[in-house]
Amino acid sequence: MVTLHFVPYTDIEPLSSVGRIRHLLNIAKQNKIVLLQGRLRREEEAELIKTTMEEINKEFRGIELAVINPQQSELSGFSRMKYDVLGMLLGDRSGLTIIGPANVVKAISKDPNKIEVYTKDVKRKKRR
Amino acid sequence: MIGKVMGWLSQFFKSKKKTIKLGIYGPPNSGKTTLANKICQDWLGQDMGSVSSIAHETREIQIKEQISIKSKDGRELMFNLVDTPGIATRIDYEDFIKSGMTEGKAKKRAKEATRGVIDAIKWLDEMDVVLVVLDSATDPYSQVNITIIGNLAARNIPVLIVANKVDLRKANMKKVQAAFPQYEVVGISAKYGKNINEFYESLFNLAGR
């Protein structure tokens, strides 16, 4: 069985960068697939990878990470600027971030508008 | 007299060329060290590091200093080449055992590889120009690629995407270009030296400005 844990953006919004990463990693370390509304900042994504590496041990082998944000690539001009400004002020709530523990998720394959999560237990699981 | 001094000063500053830090980043097994070796062989006549088909062969930052390359039109570019360990989100020692390693060696390699990833991320701030080396036969949309390139963009570091292994049948340059339309992508085979002159030309255009 695979457990999906949904994290609304409001859950991580008040947290510091370290707090956000800690919160998400703690869920992933319970062998749950995290579905985060929106996305982390670019620097936080790199920090998430770094923290993951620091915590790898016999039980925790790392994560699979994917971000899907189909709207963003379609925006241009003023809409894009509006989107960026709102993102800066309120955080990036659009799209979806998937963090799967490597113990459960074998791979995540991604096209711009589609994510496929391959789990270790189930041969192939499809998600949109 | 003043003219002589000015002339001497201008000669002095002209001869002091700026040496940039050129980083090589990318996921494991994309051919970063193979490209670093190709550059070092072409301009220094020596290798930089060992390569292997098993992932995470490079687990420490490797630096080759004062490499000077020349373009066809006489321009010169001086850089310190920084080859970094492959950035990954998962490292499982059992994968190394499957590749034929003993458990002890596999665990050691995994531990060193995790430290290598941490160091590679820490070094991002040190770079002046970065070559992001991707395997053109694998999925370019991986989050590691997007995170590396996004972080370089956030730091305003110029990036050249090197789609390596174009000699492979499954190589798909168009897919790499489609994944990163705002960047210049140059397709090469570091192993066989294919398109290497086009690569140097792109490097000059990016770093030699």
Side-chain angles (χ1 to χ4, degrees), chain B residues 26-32 55-57 85-90 117 135 144 165:
Chain B
N29 260 6
S30 59
K32 296 178 293 301
H56 299 287
E57 177 69 9
I87 296 183
T89 55
R90 65 190 293 162
V117 175
D135 179 346
V144 163
K165 307 189 186 182

Side-chain angles (χ1 to χ4, degrees), chain A residues 34-49:
Chain A
V34 180
L35 300 178
L36 169 69
Q37 176 197 9
R39 63 179 303 174
L40 295 168
R41 294 187 196 103
R42 285 181 287 199
E43 298 81 355
E44 288 171 344
E45 275 177 21
E47 205 55 42
L48 173 68
I49 297 175

Side-chain angles (χ1 to χ4, degrees), chain B residues 42-60:
Chain B
D42 284 351
W43 302 98
L44 299 175
Q46 54 183 256
D47 272 352
M48 185 160 183
S50 61
V51 294
S52 162
S53 59
I54 304 171
H56 299 287
E57 177 69 9
T58 305
R59 300 184 292 284
E60 283 178 359

Side-chain angles (χ1 to χ4, degrees), chain B residues 167-184:
Chain B
D167 53 295
L168 297 181
R169 205 165 45 86
K170 282 187 178 171
N172 190 342
M173 265 288 289
K174 281 186 181 162
K175 203 172 176 187
V176 181
Q177 282 164 330
F180 305 103
Q182 62 277 53
Y183 291 94
E184 185 184 351

Side-chain angles (χ1 to χ4, degrees), chain A residues 84-112:
Chain A
D84 289 344
V85 171
L86 283 174
M88 263 192 308
L89 294 174
L90 305 171
D92 205 341
R93 293 159 188 253
S94 62
L96 186 72
T97 302
I98 300 181
I99 303 167
N103 295 352
V104 176
V105 177
K106 205 157 66 177
I108 301 179
S109 118
K110 196 177 84 173
D111 273 326

Side-chain angles (χ1 to χ4, degrees), chain A residues 39 42-47 49-50 52-54 56 58 60-68 102-103 105-112 120, chain B residues 87-94 103 107 110 113-115 117-119 121-122 124 139 141-144 146-147 149-151 153-155 175:
Chain A
R39 63 179 303 174
R42 285 181 287 199
E43 298 81 355
E44 288 171 344
E45 275 177 21
E47 205 55 42
I49 297 175
K50 222 166 86 179
T52 300
M53 288 299 119
E54 283 163 1
I56 282 184
K58 213 174 168 186
F60 179 63
R61 312 281 169 92
I63 56 169
E64 284 293 333
L65 175 67
V67 179
I68 189 162
N103 295 352
V105 177
K106 205 157 66 177
I108 301 179
S109 118
K110 196 177 84 173
D111 273 326
K120 282 192 169 170
Chain B
I87 296 183
T89 55
R90 65 190 293 162
I91 293 171
D92 189 342
Y93 74 91
E94 285 180 356
E103 190 175 328
K107 282 182 175 168
T114 58
R115 275 195 222 117
V117 175
I118 294 166
D119 287 344
I121 294 172
K122 279 183 186 164
L124 274 172
D139 178 18
Y141 291 102
S142 107
Q143 196 58 37
V144 163
I146 293 163
T147 301
I149 292 169
N151 272 268
R155 291 164 169 83
K175 203 172 176 187

